Amino acid sequence: MDRKLKKKDGWIYGRRPVLEALRAGRREIHEVIVPSGPATDEVEEMITLARQRRYPLRSAQRGECDRLLGQVNHQCCALRAGGYPYVSPEEIYAAAEEDPEAIVLLLDHLEDPQNVGSLLRTAEACGVAGVILPEDRGVLITPTVVRASVGASEHLRIAHVVNLTQAMKELKERNVWLTGLDITEDAQPYTKIDFRGRCGIVVGSEGNGLGSLVRKTCDFIGYIPMAGQVDSLNAGVAGALALYEAVRQKQAGK
């Protein structure tokens, strides 16, 4: 766990991200802000959860929220919380070992918060055992990522590691077969890869794809066939397709 990040407070904003953070109940929360005026069902639930857990709660007008949060799509819903509650890599290894059909998502130095948030939203929908990120040269779980994930990040096991390749080796020791997404001579269509059993899906960075050591550590390399004029999809879409293919195969194999 990153103690430095854990101690850093920040604002989570937007109706759904705030609600999911409250539902998950994993963060240290210092203040909850809701819009003044008639409350929607989502806002009513925020108020109920904040009161049940005795979090400081207040209402605010849009102008005050703009001054506090800046020009973001906050919907006048926000909470000030401690840093993201990362888990240890060992917790994800153990979760994968316990589930014979576990899926682990690994992100190799992604830099776009929107891609990371989109992948986390898909990962949560697919019921992954965990997500592993490298500590450096990539996006960690910031308020922008939380917003892009529509709060799904708050329900996931997410760990960050110094060495992603070493984490991959740890997973392989637990019989997790790793598929990297890339366009190389040894790649095969992602639908031809057998994702049944324990599997990991490795998504490379937006500019450089998979690092050379990460690629070598993968058991398989898959690509997304393209029929149009563009030659690739962004990382968020490519990762989502692979995650849902893994889920499809596991469900079909039952």
Side-chain angles (χ1 to χ4, degrees):
M1 182 178 293
D2 190 321
R3 294 177 179 83
K4 186 180 294 184
L5 286 172
K6 178 72 173 175
K7 292 179 181 177
K8 185 177 179 181
D9 291 350
W11 288 97
I12 295 172
Y13 54 86
R15 277 196 302 269
R16 180 58 60 172
V18 168
L19 181 56
E20 296 303 339
L22 289 168
R23 284 174 172 172
R26 296 170 60 203
R27 294 207 192 220
E28 182 182 5
I29 294 176
H30 306 295
E31 182 180 11
V32 180
I33 296 175
V34 297
S36 57
T40 65
D41 290 345
E42 288 177 320
V43 172
E44 287 284 5
E45 186 176 350
M46 290 177 210
I47 293 169
T48 298
L49 290 170
R51 286 174 174 165
Q52 286 175 348
R53 296 169 188 172
R54 299 177 185 246
Y55 299 142
L57 171 69
R58 66 186 175 95
S59 60
Q61 300 281 350
R62 176 168 292 278
E64 182 182 353
C65 292
D66 287 342
R67 289 190 294 274
L68 185 64
L69 302 167
Q71 297 301 312
V72 295
N73 186 21
H74 51 68
Q75 300 170 302
C76 218
C77 295
L79 59 79
R80 184 167 59 86
Y84 187 79
Y86 294 98
V87 303
S88 68
E90 288 74 20
E91 186 172 331
I92 294 178
Y93 305 153
E97 202 165 20
E98 290 171 4
D99 182 357
E101 294 292 340
I103 303 172
V104 179
L105 176 64
L106 302 99
L107 306 183
D108 184 13
H109 298 101
L110 270 70
E111 299 177 346
D112 185 340
Q114 298 299 319
N115 275 334
V116 174
S118 173
L119 282 165
L120 295 182
R121 186 177 185 182
T122 304
E124 202 281 329
C126 290
V128 302
V131 181
I132 299 179
L133 315 170
E135 288 184 356
D136 64 334
R137 296 183 292 115
V139 174
L140 291 171
I141 310 305
T142 64
T144 304
V145 170
V146 176
R147 184 75 174 91
S149 79
V150 199
S153 57
E154 302 305 295
H155 299 283
L156 287 165
R157 296 185 190 95
I158 302 178
H160 57 82
V161 296
V162 174
N163 189 320
L164 189 64
T165 304
Q166 183 57 44
M168 294 169 69
K169 291 177 180 177
E170 294 281 356
L171 288 169
K172 290 174 77 166
E173 289 179 5
R174 292 160 175 82
N175 298 315
V176 178
W177 293 83
L178 300 174
T179 296
L181 301 181
D182 211 346
I183 302 174
T184 57
E185 290 184 0
D186 59 338
Q188 55 186 312
Y190 76 110
T191 53
K192 300 297 184 183
I193 294 171
D194 189 348
F195 290 105
R196 293 172 299 176
R198 297 179 182 89
C199 70
I201 295 171
V202 191
V203 181
S205 68
E206 294 88 355
N208 300 316
L210 297 175
S212 58
L213 286 177
V214 168
R215 187 184 296 107
K216 290 177 182 177
T217 308
C218 291
D219 299 295
F220 309 102
I221 301 296
Y223 72 91
I224 312 296
M226 306 293 294
Q229 298 302 309
V230 298
D231 58 5
S232 66
L233 297 170
N234 71 32
V237 174
L241 287 170
L243 284 165
Y244 272 107
E245 175 63 15
V247 171
R248 186 194 68 78
Q249 289 187 19
K250 292 173 187 299
Q251 292 178 344
K254 289 183 179 179

